Amino acid sequence: MPDRGGGPTGPRIRVGRPSRRVRTLLMTLGVLAVLAMAFVMFAGFWTDWLWYRSVNYSSVFTTTLWTKIGLFFVFGLLMATAVGVNIWLAHRLRPPLSAMSMEQQSLDRYRMGVAPYKTWILLGITSLVGLIAGASAAGQWRTWLMWVNGVPFNQKDPQFHLDVSFYAFDLPWYRFLLGFGFAAAILSVIAAALTHYLYGGLRITSPGARATAAATGHLSVLLGIFVALKAVAYWLDRYGLAVKSSDFKATGNWTGLRYVDANAYLPAKTILFCIAVICALLFFATLWRRTWQLPVIGFGLMVLSAILIGGLYPAIVQKFQVQPNEQAKEAPYVEKNLKATRDAYGINGTQVTEYPGTSTTTDKTKLRDDADGAASIRLLDPNVVSPTFQQLQQVRNYYAFPSNLDVDRYTKDGKDQDTVIGLRELNLQGIPKNNWINDHFRYTHGFGAVAAKGTNADAEGRPEFTEYDLPSKGELGDYEQRIYYGEKTSQYSIVGGPQKEIDYSDDTGEKTTSYKGKSGVNLSNPVNRAAYAVALSEPQILYSGAIGEGSRILYNRTPKERVEAVAPWLTIDGDAYPAIVDGKIEWIVDAYTTTNGYPYASRTTLGDTTADSLTAANNQRAVVAQQNQVNYIRNSVKATVDAYTGKVTLYEWDTKDPVLKTWKKAFPGTVKAKGDIPQALMDHLRYPQDLFKVQRELLTRYHVKDAETFLSGSEVWQVPDDPTNKSGNAVPPYYLSMKLPGEKAQEFSLTTTLTPNGRDNLSAFMSVNAEANTSEYGKISILKLPTGRTVDGPKRVQSQFNSEPSIAESIRLLRGGDSEVEYGNLLTVPLDGGLLYVEPVYVRGGGLKYPLLRKVLVTYGGATAFEDTLDQALNKIFGADGATEEPPPPDEGEGTKPPPTSDNPTVQAALDDAQKAFDQGQEALKKGDWEAYGKAQKDLEDALKRAEDAQATPTPGGSGDGDNSEESGGGSAGSG
């Protein structure tokens, strides 16, 4: 092509070339920079491979990697080919250059500039779009694997009668392909149009035809492909209506077809599909007609139809057909939604039973006996007593317990016992001096479990430990106590090499150890050391003398991280919990399979649904995917992580789940059969909290089965706010061994209460059998309270506690000085037609800033008791064992103040001892000496008992009046 521009050129300036030495240096630096970048990328890949191989899940790494690589290259090449071919074709179809218009003259300089680099520019453009498209496609590896390995649900949707797997596995992949096709068509149209314009095939301001016949035909075919894809989109939109979310004022969030969808949108999509097909054919016809007149008319008709048929017509149907008679019109579709939602969330088997809410039993002795058998009432709140475990069992500052302990069951003398358990994990903030060696080589692990009875406290209000001290000893037997993997263990450690580790300390001094497990990655290899030095940005790993033969690096050490890494297709429960199983500490992790494509099932956002007062306080119990919207969930996998070796084991739990079956096909051999679960582990498996929270949220609306009631909203419930704190967040569910009405024995259960929408009285008590060893596991029961009578809910019960004058005064006295009162979990127990509420009350007093159980609040049938022990409170409620009325509150401090005088010398001597014990207790309370305080309270009780016994026998000249005994009350207000 001749150079039509130009003009006189100026003098040439000779620029000296760099010397050979400089060129060699620059080339060397360039090569080193490229090698450094390559090694950084290699380090990330290599360390990932080494980690997966160390946990024996290399197949997960390779399957995921090859799937991503395959999608990247296939779709990257497809996009690059589509764009590149159309650029090449547009260039080849360029018109011959003849007389030049002003427009073409201005473009000529660009053509001349591009000419020498056409091949490189083409390669650059196609490579760029190919890389972007390939990276986008690689992110769809889950969608691809689910599509290619999809297993049928053997359930059909009620509208199109297609298997649910089509919506869960197939439709997402088809939508991705459609989106990719649209992107390829649009980029091809843009690239071809620009090329045609650059080379004269399209003209904007030139006289004559605006486009050559070749350009017209080329662009028409591309636009025809775009419109044909739009026709496919209209067709898929028909099925998409079954999983479409919308806001339905009668019910809130809604998924699936409604009347307007089935009778307006669905036929509209079919009509638009036909119009789009015709329009696409008109575009293709320009290959012969060489005019855009008909395609443009057809495209305009399609746009107009989309507005009128796809938008205006459904609005008219909604306004004039649905709204005047909404319940009758929507009822058939609501019934489909009710059934699908209950199936998708596993709540279709929920048993709803009418429950009176008040007892008709007049025999208080029977009620008292029944109260003992109704539940093993847990007074030790795992969400309150962690500081107590910390203070009494931490032993060393470099150990710590999680802020929320866990509830489990352990067998003692053939009887299951609800137990609060926590592990003494490593706490780097507590080590004497932080440096690289201490943080990563010397302080590497926690040590031992600590457990306490859930239903008891000792006389001082402290937990009754069943596993305690360091090394731990007690009822849990012998087990490997070193904890290299735990919830608080987030940093890497290098173990097993020349550097010894701090094991634990006892009376004889500090003990050291060296890791004997096979976990982690071997650092003996210099390549591995270099890779980890780069991956962790820690150059000392490369040259430190503390690393040698046998050194292994441990990382990804929290149970949640490890399970997520080996099973990236699972959603992990927010709370892993430890159990002693066959001589090992095993972390048990509940994992879920989910999908967002179950037709007609309403969606929920996991992060919102599983939030409660605990997650708001410490953010430890939230599902990983905070914004993950799902409309199908199953607890399909139970996983374990060995606290010493880090070994991860996945066990199939839901044997019927088609989503799990699909992933098992994609990752064969990664999930063990349910029958492989050891019995010792089975004893500790439980129903997961997060799944229960999702189900209870759905059951606030979906406990009803008829469309009319559902649409009226008269039976909508809500999860009440936690009455024991002011967070304003939902009350968490509680684990409790209890017996429901009609059952013969207590079962480990997960329980919650539900209230009417916007009100504080009780609507229902909900529980699920959490005992994995029973055939009733997972059975959800709802005791539905009558709507015509008010039954107090948790907030009202708490308010009743707080407003009782004698209780309020006692609480005020407990808060005396610098003491703090903390309410424990408010437990609800069905009892003989009524509801028994029990709440432990803790006091943090004096210089000891950890909670001790001081009182128990109990209410039943309107009667309230505030006593030192649960037995005393139940006795008072049911009038057993001669329980008397609540004594008047003391004037100051804690405890009961003894009466001043008596005419009986024996009584007076006892009362003098009582006064002395009382004064000693007050002095101990001011000093924060709880041990002395407890002893003083015991002496006070003994003295008052002696005074009462002496008063029962009148002395000569004495009044023998028993009023002093009545006045003295029944014991110390502060004794535990």
mmCIF file of all heavy atoms in Angstrom, residues 453-471:
data_model
loop_
_atom_site.group_PDB
_atom_site.id
_atom_site.type_symbol
_atom_site.label_atom_id
_atom_site.label_comp_id
_atom_site.label_asym_id
_atom_site.label_seq_id
_atom_site.Cartn_x
_atom_site.Cartn_y
_atom_site.Cartn_z
ATOM 1 N N LYS A 453 -19.758 -32.149 83.842
ATOM 2 C CA LYS A 453 -21.166 -32.553 83.774
ATOM 3 C C LYS A 453 -22.025 -31.354 83.382
ATOM 4 O O LYS A 453 -21.884 -30.271 83.944
ATOM 5 C CB LYS A 453 -21.628 -33.092 85.134
ATOM 6 C CG LYS A 453 -20.947 -34.379 85.561
ATOM 7 C CD LYS A 453 -21.449 -34.819 86.926
ATOM 8 C CE LYS A 453 -20.750 -36.098 87.395
ATOM 9 N NZ LYS A 453 -21.217 -36.516 88.739
ATOM 10 N N GLY A 454 -22.913 -31.578 82.452
ATOM 11 C CA GLY A 454 -23.753 -30.481 82.005
ATOM 12 C C GLY A 454 -24.864 -30.141 82.970
ATOM 13 O O GLY A 454 -25.406 -29.029 82.934
ATOM 14 N N THR A 455 -25.209 -31.085 83.847
ATOM 15 C CA THR A 455 -26.386 -30.903 84.698
ATOM 16 C C THR A 455 -26.055 -30.505 86.123
ATOM 17 O O THR A 455 -26.952 -30.356 86.943
ATOM 18 C CB THR A 455 -27.200 -32.213 84.736
ATOM 19 O OG1 THR A 455 -26.329 -33.289 85.130
ATOM 20 C CG2 THR A 455 -27.772 -32.524 83.368
ATOM 21 N N ASN A 456 -24.758 -30.323 86.431
ATOM 22 C CA ASN A 456 -24.380 -30.095 87.825
ATOM 23 C C ASN A 456 -23.356 -28.980 87.943
ATOM 24 O O ASN A 456 -22.644 -28.661 87.003
ATOM 25 C CB ASN A 456 -23.794 -31.366 88.458
ATOM 26 C CG ASN A 456 -24.791 -32.497 88.515
ATOM 27 O OD1 ASN A 456 -24.967 -33.202 87.527
ATOM 28 N ND2 ASN A 456 -25.443 -32.664 89.653
ATOM 29 N N ALA A 457 -23.269 -28.438 89.155
ATOM 30 C CA ALA A 457 -22.178 -27.561 89.561
ATOM 31 C C ALA A 457 -21.855 -27.895 91.006
ATOM 32 O O ALA A 457 -22.695 -28.444 91.724
ATOM 33 C CB ALA A 457 -22.560 -26.091 89.405
ATOM 34 N N ASP A 458 -20.622 -27.583 91.441
ATOM 35 C CA ASP A 458 -20.288 -27.904 92.829
ATOM 36 C C ASP A 458 -20.825 -26.822 93.765
ATOM 37 O O ASP A 458 -21.511 -25.883 93.338
ATOM 38 C CB ASP A 458 -18.778 -28.109 92.989
ATOM 39 C CG ASP A 458 -17.982 -26.826 92.759
ATOM 40 O OD1 ASP A 458 -18.592 -25.730 92.715
ATOM 41 O OD2 ASP A 458 -16.749 -26.915 92.623
ATOM 42 N N ALA A 459 -20.508 -26.953 95.039
ATOM 43 C CA ALA A 459 -21.068 -26.044 96.033
ATOM 44 C C ALA A 459 -20.639 -24.597 95.810
ATOM 45 O O ALA A 459 -21.314 -23.667 96.259
ATOM 46 C CB ALA A 459 -20.643 -26.489 97.436
ATOM 47 N N GLU A 460 -19.532 -24.380 95.106
ATOM 48 C CA GLU A 460 -19.065 -23.027 94.835
ATOM 49 C C GLU A 460 -19.580 -22.490 93.502
ATOM 50 O O GLU A 460 -19.208 -21.381 93.093
ATOM 51 C CB GLU A 460 -17.525 -23.005 94.829
ATOM 52 C CG GLU A 460 -16.885 -23.565 96.077
ATOM 53 C CD GLU A 460 -17.373 -22.855 97.328
ATOM 54 O OE1 GLU A 460 -17.556 -21.626 97.259
ATOM 55 O OE2 GLU A 460 -17.598 -23.516 98.349
ATOM 56 N N GLY A 461 -20.390 -23.279 92.800
ATOM 57 C CA GLY A 461 -20.894 -22.837 91.509
ATOM 58 C C GLY A 461 -19.958 -23.132 90.360
ATOM 59 O O GLY A 461 -20.175 -22.672 89.236
ATOM 60 N N ARG A 462 -18.901 -23.893 90.632
ATOM 61 C CA ARG A 462 -17.945 -24.235 89.583
ATOM 62 C C ARG A 462 -18.385 -25.524 88.889
ATOM 63 O O ARG A 462 -19.093 -26.340 89.476
ATOM 64 C CB ARG A 462 -16.547 -24.408 90.182
ATOM 65 C CG ARG A 462 -15.996 -23.148 90.809
ATOM 66 C CD ARG A 462 -14.688 -23.379 91.533
ATOM 67 N NE ARG A 462 -14.851 -24.323 92.633
ATOM 68 C CZ ARG A 462 -13.967 -24.492 93.608
ATOM 69 N NH1 ARG A 462 -12.864 -23.754 93.626
ATOM 70 N NH2 ARG A 462 -14.175 -25.368 94.567
ATOM 71 N N PRO A 463 -17.921 -25.730 87.661
ATOM 72 C CA PRO A 463 -18.267 -26.982 86.970
ATOM 73 C C PRO A 463 -17.741 -28.197 87.722
ATOM 74 O O PRO A 463 -16.673 -28.142 88.350
ATOM 75 C CB PRO A 463 -17.568 -26.832 85.606
ATOM 76 C CG PRO A 463 -17.341 -25.373 85.435
ATOM 77 C CD PRO A 463 -17.131 -24.822 86.808
ATOM 78 N N GLU A 464 -18.495 -29.281 87.663
ATOM 79 C CA GLU A 464 -18.009 -30.559 88.193
ATOM 80 C C GLU A 464 -17.263 -31.266 87.076
ATOM 81 O O GLU A 464 -17.849 -31.912 86.208
ATOM 82 C CB GLU A 464 -19.184 -31.414 88.688
ATOM 83 C CG GLU A 464 -19.772 -30.927 89.988
ATOM 84 C CD GLU A 464 -20.722 -31.948 90.608
ATOM 85 O OE1 GLU A 464 -20.765 -33.103 90.120
ATOM 86 O OE2 GLU A 464 -21.432 -31.595 91.553
ATOM 87 N N PHE A 465 -15.959 -31.118 87.086
ATOM 88 C CA PHE A 465 -15.137 -31.626 85.982
ATOM 89 C C PHE A 465 -15.063 -33.138 86.012
ATOM 90 O O PHE A 465 -14.835 -33.756 87.056
ATOM 91 C CB PHE A 465 -13.735 -31.028 86.051
ATOM 92 C CG PHE A 465 -13.685 -29.559 85.762
ATOM 93 C CD1 PHE A 465 -13.432 -28.637 86.769
ATOM 94 C CD2 PHE A 465 -13.901 -29.091 84.470
ATOM 95 C CE1 PHE A 465 -13.389 -27.277 86.498
ATOM 96 C CE2 PHE A 465 -13.856 -27.726 84.189
ATOM 97 C CZ PHE A 465 -13.614 -26.824 85.205
ATOM 98 N N THR A 466 -15.252 -33.714 84.845
ATOM 99 C CA THR A 466 -15.068 -35.155 84.687
ATOM 100 C C THR A 466 -13.768 -35.464 83.958
ATOM 101 O O THR A 466 -13.342 -36.615 83.916
ATOM 102 C CB THR A 466 -16.239 -35.758 83.890
ATOM 103 O OG1 THR A 466 -16.342 -35.103 82.620
ATOM 104 C CG2 THR A 466 -17.549 -35.590 84.644
ATOM 105 N N GLU A 467 -13.143 -34.458 83.369
ATOM 106 C CA GLU A 467 -11.818 -34.566 82.752
ATOM 107 C C GLU A 467 -11.115 -33.246 83.047
ATOM 108 O O GLU A 467 -11.658 -32.169 82.754
ATOM 109 C CB GLU A 467 -11.928 -34.806 81.248
ATOM 110 C CG GLU A 467 -10.621 -35.105 80.553
ATOM 111 C CD GLU A 467 -10.114 -36.528 80.775
ATOM 112 O OE1 GLU A 467 -10.878 -37.340 81.354
ATOM 113 O OE2 GLU A 467 -8.982 -36.844 80.372
ATOM 114 N N TYR A 468 -9.903 -33.311 83.625
ATOM 115 C CA TYR A 468 -9.313 -32.094 84.160
ATOM 116 C C TYR A 468 -7.809 -32.264 84.293
ATOM 117 O O TYR A 468 -7.248 -33.345 84.083
ATOM 118 C CB TYR A 468 -9.924 -31.779 85.535
ATOM 119 C CG TYR A 468 -9.932 -32.971 86.464
ATOM 120 C CD1 TYR A 468 -8.847 -33.263 87.298
ATOM 121 C CD2 TYR A 468 -11.016 -33.854 86.483
ATOM 122 C CE1 TYR A 468 -8.848 -34.372 88.120
ATOM 123 C CE2 TYR A 468 -11.028 -34.964 87.307
ATOM 124 C CZ TYR A 468 -9.944 -35.225 88.127
ATOM 125 O OH TYR A 468 -9.942 -36.333 88.923
ATOM 126 N N ASP A 469 -7.134 -31.174 84.665
ATOM 127 C CA ASP A 469 -5.704 -31.104 84.941
ATOM 128 C C ASP A 469 -4.867 -31.296 83.674
ATOM 129 O O ASP A 469 -5.369 -31.501 82.579
ATOM 130 C CB ASP A 469 -5.300 -32.120 86.013
ATOM 131 C CG ASP A 469 -5.806 -31.718 87.393
ATOM 132 O OD1 ASP A 469 -6.309 -30.586 87.518
ATOM 133 O OD2 ASP A 469 -5.729 -32.539 88.322
ATOM 134 N N LEU A 470 -3.536 -31.196 83.870
ATOM 135 C CA LEU A 470 -2.580 -31.309 82.769
ATOM 136 C C LEU A 470 -1.437 -32.211 83.200
ATOM 137 O O LEU A 470 -0.751 -31.896 84.187
ATOM 138 C CB LEU A 470 -2.040 -29.916 82.412
ATOM 139 C CG LEU A 470 -1.084 -29.838 81.242
ATOM 140 C CD1 LEU A 470 -1.854 -30.103 79.951
ATOM 141 C CD2 LEU A 470 -0.439 -28.453 81.162
ATOM 142 N N PRO A 471 -1.208 -33.335 82.511
ATOM 143 C CA PRO A 471 -2.040 -33.921 81.451
ATOM 144 C C PRO A 471 -3.439 -34.251 81.974
ATOM 145 O O PRO A 471 -3.618 -34.505 83.158
ATOM 146 C CB PRO A 471 -1.283 -35.184 81.055
ATOM 147 C CG PRO A 471 0.111 -34.976 81.539
ATOM 148 C CD PRO A 471 -0.003 -34.133 82.772
#
